[in-house]
Amino acid sequence: MKRTFERILFMSIGALIAFFTYTFGYIDKDVDAEEFIDPNFGEVIGCDTLVVSGTLLVGNPERGHALIKANGDKINITARNRKHSDNFLSISVSDSDISLELAEFTTGHRLLMTVNKNSAVYSALETKDYEEFRRIITMGLFPDKAKFRIEDKNGEKVISTTD
């Protein structure tokens, strides 16, 4: 009898805790979101403002997706398609610089653009990883000079035109 009474008592206490938590736990009456079906997008939840702390992922991480990430003074937006290859677009904005990167990894072609208070640099390169490149073209504007560089993986600097 004592054991049955203890079980009923603990179940009652648990039910009361669940009831009060559910009823009074988090009540925000200012949330006004609508759920509806859009013929182009399917199930949609709409609201005026959505605040996300950390990273917002839209899509499937294994296939195509978009990431929006705010970390301190830096904001990064990345769109990535992994269906056939790891192609992506990345835009990064911070207090000190702005950068744009486009990459198509089937061929290894990448475009990088960076602007800050000291320079503006554009690089087009062919690479399979971030450490080594096969060919690179870089143009840069700096406070005291402008640079133009064409180089292949052997270190040869060449400026050429082809008819």
Side-chain angles (χ1 to χ4, degrees), residues 50-153:
L50 177 64
V51 178
V52 177
S53 175
T55 303
L56 177 63
L57 171 71
V58 179
N60 183 340
E62 300 299 320
R63 294 186 183 161
H65 65 272
L67 279 172
I68 302 172
K69 186 176 190 176
N71 186 3
D73 71 336
K74 188 172 187 175
I75 300 166
N76 191 4
I77 300 171
T78 303
R80 179 165 287 191
N81 180 5
R82 291 184 172 173
K83 186 172 182 181
H84 299 293
S85 60
D86 198 6
N87 300 333
F88 68 90
L89 159 73
S90 179
I91 302 168
S92 178
V93 179
S94 71
D95 285 345
S96 59
D97 65 0
I98 301 167
S99 66
L100 170 69
E101 180 176 3
L102 304 166
E104 197 284 317
F105 277 101
T106 304
T107 58
H109 294 137
R110 291 175 58 209
L111 292 175
L112 305 168
M113 291 181 257
T114 303
V115 178
N116 59 37
K117 63 182 179 181
N118 297 320
S119 65
V121 179
Y122 167 85
S123 294
L125 60 144
E126 181 182 16
T127 181
K128 284 292 184 183
D129 57 29
Y130 287 98
E131 301 298 322
E132 294 184 26
F133 64 88
R134 293 185 191 138
R135 294 181 288 175
I136 187 169
I137 299 172
T138 302
M139 295 178 282
L141 299 174
F142 303 93
D144 57 343
K145 60 186 164 191
K147 288 184 179 180
F148 185 78
R149 168 186 168 202
I150 298 177
E151 189 174 337
D152 67 6
K153 66 180 177 181

